[in-house]
Amino acid sequence: MPTVEPSLSALPNPFLRYFLATRPPYLSVTFFSALIGIACAHRSGLNIALLPAVMTVVFALFAHAGINVLNDYYDELNGTDRINTDRVFPFTGGSRFIQNGVMTAHEVGIFGAGLMGVAAIGGFWLTWHSGSGLLLIGAAGMLIGWAYSAPPLKLNSRGWGELCVAAGFILITVGADYVQRGSFSMLPVYPVIAYSLLVTNILYITQFPDYRADLATGKHHWVVRLGPMRARWVYLAIVIVAYACFGVMVATGRLPIIALIAVLPIVLSFKAGLVLLANAVNPRQLEPALKMTIAAASAHGLLLTIALFVS
């Protein structure tokens, strides 16, 4: 992902333009969430059906990309991204494709809806392969993704954004396991709880640079409600709860001992937390913390996937 904001002249290739509009740096967390679900099915002794597994990952990525694009569309409609001068590109403040004239709001809206449509079609194909219960998982995930920023619900603006993210990523993992298993199971829930909380912290920390713009446009998420100085402590609280839950899962035998390797990214999580504590009201100084938060969640997901497959 380029570190300079996009412009039409810099992106003459339409394929690259549309690809970058999906905000690729954030898609890795969906990739690992799906892999965790597949690894859980493998750990249960199931023979992994390769094509459905690959399609699960692909369609999950389409859904996440569509949600990212639609979020840009709705944040242009409510004016948040337009007035955001504290953004830390490419991590906060949207993709800037609309604001910088790379694409129109209408084009972005159509593109986002198209991505979601592809994900829905893929969901029906996977349902045909696995079972009707997948429809419930997919419908819940699509509803959460749409309602996150779209009116009239605008769940993130009402303080429900963090819960939406955590629930959404749990659903991805449960759904990926369901495709292989053909039924619901608690097994994929155990490993994904900590991961979903680490992914939630990605959303949470991006709201600090966006604080003033979100406050001005009525996006009353928890950073706005608490104010940056109080809200900064919640980041570390989420980290502690995430790794504590993970430790409990290992200690109670719900996860194998080898899964403890996935605790290693706690170093990145706490380093990011310390940067946030020192710079909660200095958005330009938060870029290292933003990068480390994404890296911590992705590394945890990767190591956990490997541990589940090996075990």
Side-chain angles (χ1 to χ4, degrees):
M1 187 72 174
T3 55
V4 294
E5 292 197 4
S7 65
L8 187 58
S9 61
L11 295 171
N13 185 319
F15 175 81
L16 181 61
R17 191 159 62 236
Y18 277 87
F19 173 69
L20 293 180
T22 65
R23 307 188 75 185
Y26 290 109
L27 299 184
S28 64
V29 290
T30 288
F31 178 73
F32 292 122
S33 187
L35 287 186
I36 292 169
I38 296 168
C40 284
H42 173 75
R43 185 167 183 259
S44 298
L46 299 174
N47 292 321
I48 298 302
L50 184 58
L51 180 59
V54 171
M55 290 297 100
T56 298
V57 174
V58 170
F59 293 129
L61 290 172
F62 266 95
H64 188 174
I67 292 167
N68 284 351
V69 173
L70 288 179
N71 187 57
D72 271 359
Y73 172 73
Y74 289 113
D75 276 352
E76 168 64 12
L77 294 189
N78 63 35
T80 302
D81 288 346
R82 183 70 60 174
I83 66 169
N84 191 335
T85 58
D86 294 326
R87 61 188 180 271
V88 180
F89 185 84
F91 304 102
T92 79
S95 69
R96 313 306 299 170
F97 273 58
I98 300 174
Q99 295 75 29
N100 294 1
V102 180
M103 296 171 67
T104 66
H106 178 72
E107 289 172 333
V108 169
I110 293 297
F111 181 42
L115 290 169
M116 295 290 275
V118 171
I121 293 171
F124 284 117
W125 183 85
L126 290 170
T127 296
W128 172 78
H129 168 81
S130 59
S132 59
L134 190 64
L135 285 177
L136 297 176
I137 299 171
M142 299 285 270
L143 175 61
I144 290 172
W146 169 79
Y148 175 84
S149 56
L153 296 181
K154 297 188 292 185
L155 295 178
N156 189 40
S157 298
R158 303 176 189 274
W160 292 91
E162 287 77 11
L163 181 60
C164 286
V165 170
F169 281 88
I170 290 173
L171 286 172
I172 292 171
T173 298
V174 171
D177 175 86
Y178 185 100
V179 169
Q180 300 296 323
R181 192 183 303 276
S183 61
F184 290 103
S185 171
M186 282 298 294
L187 290 177
V189 176
Y190 302 140
V192 79
I193 292 174
Y195 180 72
S196 68
L197 289 173
L198 294 178
V199 175
T200 297
N201 251 355
I202 297 176
L203 164 70
Y204 191 73
I205 196 171
T206 61
Q207 294 173 153
F208 284 84
D210 296 346
Y211 166 74
R212 291 201 300 167
D214 289 349
L215 175 63
T217 55
K219 293 184 68 174
H220 294 157
H221 48 67
W222 285 106
V223 175
V224 167
R225 291 167 186 260
L226 296 172
M229 295 305 289
R230 284 189 295 174
R232 58 184 178 159
W233 295 102
V234 176
Y235 179 95
L236 285 173
I238 293 174
V239 170
I240 293 169
V241 170
Y243 286 106
C245 286
F246 192 77
V248 168
M249 294 302 169
V250 174
T252 56
R254 289 178 172 86
L255 290 176
I257 293 294
I258 194 175
L260 287 174
I261 192 175
V263 174
L264 291 176
I266 194 172
V267 176
L268 290 174
S269 296
F270 273 106
K271 281 186 175 180
L274 293 176
V275 173
L276 178 60
L277 288 181
N279 298 283
V281 293
N282 299 304
R284 301 298 178 188
Q285 304 302 316
L286 287 178
E287 184 171 347
L290 293 163
K291 291 179 178 178
M292 285 188 285
T293 301
I294 296 173
S298 297
H300 178 82
L302 173 61
L303 294 172
L304 177 56
T305 298
I306 293 172
L308 291 173
F309 270 112
V310 170
S311 70

